Amino acid sequence: MASEKARELRPNDFPGGVHPPENKHQSTGEPIGTIPLAEDLIVPLLQSAGATSLPLVNLGDYVMKGQKIAEADGLISCPVHAPSSGKVVAIEPCAVPHPSGMPADSIVIRTDGEERWCELEPCEDFRRLEPVDLLEKIRNCGVAGMGGAGFPTAVKLDPHGGAEIDTLIINGTECEPYITADDMLMRERAAEIIAGVEILAYILDEPERVLIGIEDNKPEAIAAMREAAEGTRFDIVVFPTKYPSGGEKQLIQILTGREVPNRGLPANVGIVCQNVGTARAVYRAVRFGEPLISRVTTVVGEALERSRNIDVPIGTPIHHILKQHGAHRGLMQKVIIGGPMMGYTIDDENAPVIKTTNCILVPTVEELPPSPPAQACIRCGFCAEVCPASLLPQQLYWYARAEDREKLQAYNLFDCIECGACSYVCPSTIPLVQYYRAAKGDIRIAEEEKEKSDRARDRFEFRKLRLEKAEKEKAAKREARRKAAEQARQQREQAGGAEAETAQKEADVVAAALARVKAKQASPEQLLARAQRTLASAESRVERMQQKLQAAEESQRDQLAAQLKAAELKLQEARQKLAEAEQKAKAVPEAEEKKAADDSQAKAQSAIERARAAAAARASMSPADKLAAEIEALKARVEKAQIRLEKACSAGDANIEAFETALKNLQIKLEDKMREQNQQQGGKQ
């Protein structure tokens, strides 16, 4: 039996610790209650450790109770669900319970009072599902650690790095003064907690030991948990009350004698630790498909008319809770989230309850007097005696004041659990924990900045290497082309002899043929015949383009109109050339000087008329026609540039790079003009 096994287990002790007044009887006098639903629920997008969730709803959307309204952003993140049905009235930064006092992005839901649930996915027998499927259900339900840290439960139940888990520890300690949320939960809902522990053990492949640790100042909770654990292999381990036995590392040391290494995790020593509230939330998520949208919270303090524990929807504003418990504004000293040891004060009572809000403490000045001004450290050593992590708080204090980050890390600052035991016993009332929190924040910021700087430096070095490599490759290509050209030149020089003579003869033959062709082309009869053929071809092309334009669709008319304009310009040039050819053919040859003068004058006049005709045609052309004409001209220039480049490459010309650059510039201009033409056509359509 579980109770018999519990007697055999002998708990260990941990170093340090204190015994502050418990003050737990104020809130355990009545069962867990409820309060009326608030008009507006403020649901922060970050309620757990990790990244802020991403909203899935928009302003004005209607949401149902339990509906997912924000998705997890990455592995270390939790989704967020609507605590009640209603309308989304705001998605904006709002006050949240956090030591920094800074607002955070939140979704504000105006409730309709109907509490309409969305469709859930219950599971009557969790053993029919694989552990990975159960982890997915827990992740989708947004379950996070409810003992204070708020780490995503699904991540904690899936230890990475091949760690073998042999012990599951359920934390029912609740050592902080005033807080009784877990105590009352174990008293009234022990069966659901045990059912959740069974699911956790199944997911972890049934570890050898399942230990439920409870301090001996909770006799009713111990009895209820033992009764619920009857017939299971779970051990209810009771140990003496001492603060902070509820710390994860301290509880592990008490129950198993193992010590978690510096900056290590319990999984490194084969242990997974979960809170009793988290175990119940896992059960509700798996059995009924309920997401984590409410929690049991202690509302206590002498400034309230009524102190008790309530099951409150997440997102409920704290001022609404205080109103329901009769807060006396004249007696209130402050509002503390958590207990007097590890809690923090909030200034804005509009801040809501979140997944990690286990207590709202509203003390009077007499109940919790403000600390007197801090005095100089007298080096008494009391802080070191009570430190549960075996640190040197006094040294950490000096290094924190000096902002010596290296020394702080050397003295294991991040092993501090911020329990406040050192501040509690300090006769000089120095707020040691506040110094440690600030120093941790500074170190984290410095590490993030260093990481950003390292990434920027790596990017710069990579870019530098990439540019150097590209420059070397370019230089190698230039050298290879130079060598190829030089080799071709040497081969031509070596050819010599008969080959040179043969080449000269062939060149003479070609030159003679070209001269004969030019002579024939230069005769008036040849010029007239060629002009007549050119005119006929131009007229035929204009006629074809007119027919295409008449039969074309609306989307093609602009392009065809531009082509028709170009054809008409060529027709005008052909007519002009024909007129010149006819004039030359009819003219009687005179002296060479007069003929040369006439030819020169005719050519000049022809050029002037062509220029005038082209200018007149361009003036009458639309912007689209002008653009089309420019594109045709650029295409012709690109084609000529390609031919020049091919000839230069085949001849091994030393100016190949200049030809390449000229061709590339023309291609860029052509692409720009064609892109401009496409934009004009798209705008018209």
Side-chain angles (χ1 to χ4, degrees):
M1 302 297 287
S3 59
E4 294 176 357
K5 293 179 182 178
R7 297 191 193 98
E8 299 174 0
L9 293 173
R10 294 183 179 180
N12 303 283
D13 195 7
F14 63 90
V18 293
H19 295 84
E22 296 179 5
N23 294 319
K24 292 180 178 286
H25 63 281
Q26 293 97 319
S27 57
T28 57
E30 57 179 288
I32 299 173
T34 58
I35 60 174
L37 189 64
E39 179 182 3
D40 288 340
L41 297 179
I42 304 170
V43 187
L45 296 178
L46 179 60
Q47 302 183 43
S48 60
T52 302
S53 303
L54 305 176
L56 298 176
V57 294
N58 297 313
L59 196 65
D61 288 355
Y62 180 82
V63 297
M64 303 182 71
K65 186 176 182 178
Q67 176 183 335
K68 185 185 290 186
I69 58 177
E71 184 60 87
D73 183 17
L75 177 64
I76 312 299
S77 181
C78 268
V80 177
H81 302 76
S84 183
S85 58
K87 181 180 180 181
V88 177
V89 296
I91 303 176
E92 61 187 9
C94 298
V96 295
H98 192 271
S100 68
M102 298 178 64
D105 292 337
S106 306
I107 297 175
V108 182
I109 301 173
R110 181 147 297 162
T111 58
D112 57 9
E114 297 182 7
E115 298 282 2
R116 296 176 59 189
W117 277 91
C118 68
E119 185 177 354
L120 303 179
E121 298 181 1
C123 175
E124 295 185 0
D125 185 4
F126 67 87
R127 296 187 183 277
R128 293 183 179 180
L129 299 178
E130 294 294 327
V132 65
D133 297 326
L134 293 175
L135 283 174
E136 189 63 23
K137 287 179 70 70
I138 294 170
R139 181 180 292 107
N140 288 334
C141 286
V143 180
M146 301 177 69
F151 199 81
T153 301
V155 178
K156 205 170 183 179
L157 291 173
D158 187 18
H160 299 276
E164 295 184 3
I165 306 302
D166 58 29
T167 303
L168 169 63
I169 291 179
I170 305 300
N171 189 345
T173 305
E174 199 170 43
C175 57
E176 179 95 4
Y178 284 98
I179 306 177
T180 59
D182 289 347
D183 186 1
M184 296 302 297
L185 192 68
M186 289 187 288
R187 294 187 194 188
E188 300 184 18
R189 298 167 189 179
E192 292 188 353
I193 295 174
I194 295 300
V197 176
E198 291 179 343
I199 297 173
L200 296 176
Y202 174 73
I203 292 174
L204 294 172
D205 195 20
E206 302 296 344
E208 297 176 9
R209 296 184 298 175
V210 179
L211 309 176
I212 303 175
I214 309 174
E215 283 186 318
D216 59 6
N217 63 349
K218 303 175 181 62
E220 295 88 348
I222 293 170
M225 291 294 289
R226 281 178 172 169
E227 181 180 355
E230 286 290 338
T232 69
R233 64 186 184 89
F234 307 153
D235 296 328
I236 310 298
V237 185
V238 181
F239 49 88
T241 300
K242 184 172 69 168
Y243 180 84
S245 57
E248 189 174 61
K249 293 183 178 181
Q250 286 67 43
L251 182 60
I252 290 172
Q253 191 169 359
I254 291 172
L255 299 183
T256 66
R258 302 178 188 176
E259 293 188 16
V260 180
N262 293 339
R263 291 210 176 191
L265 299 173
N268 300 137
V269 293
I271 296 173
V272 167
C273 190
Q274 295 287 356
N275 177 263
V276 291
T278 308
R280 176 179 178 265
V282 167
Y283 166 72
R284 303 292 299 183
V286 173
R287 175 62 184 86
F288 302 105
E290 291 182 7
L292 182 54
I293 57 175
S294 67
R295 66 155 298 137
V296 176
T297 299
T298 303
V299 184
V300 64
E302 293 184 1
L304 302 174
E305 291 182 0
R306 188 181 189 185
S307 294
R308 59 172 177 163
N309 284 275
I310 57 173
D311 194 346
V312 59
I314 289 169
T316 302
I318 290 173
H319 69 79
H320 178 73
I321 298 174
L322 298 182
K323 181 180 178 181
Q324 299 300 319
H325 290 80
H328 294 282
R329 295 293 170 178
L331 299 177
M332 289 173 51
Q333 179 200 165
K334 52 188 174 182
V335 178
I336 300 174
I337 301 298
M341 301 295 288
M342 298 184 68
Y344 53 89
T345 302
I346 61 169
D347 297 325
D348 193 340
E349 295 178 10
N350 290 316
V353 169
I354 61 175
K355 296 177 182 180
T356 57
T357 307
N358 56 1
C359 179
I360 301 173
L361 175 58
V362 191
T364 62
V365 175
E366 293 77 14
E367 182 182 13
L368 200 63
S371 300
Q375 300 178 9
C377 174
I378 62 174
R379 306 178 189 275
C380 62
F382 291 163
C383 54
E385 293 177 4
V386 300
C387 180
S390 299
L391 301 176
L392 297 175
Q394 180 182 323
Q395 298 298 324
L396 293 174
Y397 164 65
W398 293 118
Y399 294 137
R401 290 191 58 178
E403 298 183 358
D404 191 338
R405 299 190 184 100
E406 293 184 1
K407 287 290 187 181
L408 286 169
Q409 296 192 72
Y411 278 76
N412 301 316
L413 171 65
F414 283 90
D415 281 350
C416 172
I417 63 174
E418 301 177 17
C419 65
C422 53
S423 299
Y424 180 76
V425 301
C426 180
S428 299
T429 63
I430 300 173
L432 297 170
V433 175
Q434 279 74 6
Y435 279 101
Y436 305 154
R437 285 177 180 168
K440 287 181 181 179
D442 291 342
I443 291 174
R444 291 191 183 99
I445 292 173
E447 289 178 346
E448 290 174 1
E449 292 297 328
K450 182 178 181 300
E451 185 177 354
K452 291 180 182 178
S453 176
D454 291 343
R455 287 200 299 267
R457 185 176 62 254
D458 291 342
R459 288 197 301 269
F460 173 77
E461 293 294 338
F462 177 77
R463 180 177 180 275
K464 184 178 178 181
L465 291 174
R466 179 170 55 82
L467 293 177
E468 290 179 354
K469 181 180 178 181
E471 185 61 31
K472 289 180 180 179
E473 291 177 353
K474 190 175 180 180
K477 289 180 180 178
R478 287 198 299 266
E479 181 65 19
R481 287 196 296 268
R482 189 192 65 78
K483 290 182 177 179
E486 180 66 21
Q487 185 177 2
R489 185 185 63 79
Q490 292 177 358
Q491 290 177 353
R492 288 195 300 272
E493 291 178 352
Q494 291 174 359
E499 293 181 0
E501 184 178 354
T502 302
Q504 184 63 40
K505 290 181 180 180
E506 291 177 355
D508 294 341
V509 172
V510 171
L514 288 174
R516 288 194 299 272
V517 170
K518 287 182 179 180
K520 290 181 180 180
Q521 289 178 347
S523 66
E525 293 80 4
Q526 292 290 336
L527 291 174
L528 179 60
R530 187 170 63 183
Q532 290 172 346
R533 290 194 301 270
T534 302
L535 177 61
S537 176
E539 289 176 344
S540 176
R541 177 172 175 79
V542 169
E543 184 178 354
R544 289 198 307 272
M545 293 304 301
Q546 289 175 343
Q547 293 174 356
K548 287 184 179 181
L549 181 61
Q550 293 175 357
E553 298 179 356
E554 186 64 27
S555 60
Q556 300 176 344
R557 293 184 69 84
D558 292 340
Q559 184 176 1
L560 291 174
Q563 295 177 0
L564 176 59
K565 287 287 184 181
E568 289 174 347
L569 289 175
K570 290 183 178 180
L571 177 59
Q572 292 178 4
E573 292 179 0
R575 287 172 178 170
Q576 184 68 29
K577 289 181 179 180
L578 177 61
E580 294 175 359
E582 290 175 347
Q583 185 177 1
K584 289 181 180 180
K586 292 178 182 179
V588 179
E590 296 180 356
E592 292 184 0
E593 293 182 359
K594 185 176 183 303
K595 182 179 179 181
D598 292 342
D599 291 343
S600 176
Q601 184 177 2
K603 291 180 180 179
Q605 185 65 30
S606 176
I608 292 172
E609 290 178 356
R610 284 198 303 272
R612 288 177 179 175
R618 283 195 297 271
S620 62
M621 292 171 66
S622 65
D625 296 338
K626 292 180 181 179
L627 183 60
E630 291 178 3
I631 291 175
E632 292 295 331
L634 281 171
K635 287 182 178 178
R637 293 177 64 187
V638 168
E639 184 176 356
K640 291 180 180 178
Q642 288 175 338
I643 295 173
R644 285 198 301 270
L645 178 61
E646 291 174 358
K647 290 182 178 180
C649 291
S650 61
D653 197 317
N655 298 316
I656 292 177
E657 288 189 9
F659 290 132
E660 289 178 344
T661 303
L663 175 59
K664 187 178 297 183
N665 291 336
L666 287 173
Q667 290 174 338
I668 292 173
K669 290 182 181 179
L670 178 60
E671 291 175 358
D672 292 340
K673 293 295 182 181
M674 295 182 70
R675 190 180 301 109
E676 183 179 351
Q677 185 183 54
N678 293 333
Q679 290 176 351
Q680 289 182 355
Q681 294 176 355
K684 292 181 179 180
Q685 293 177 359

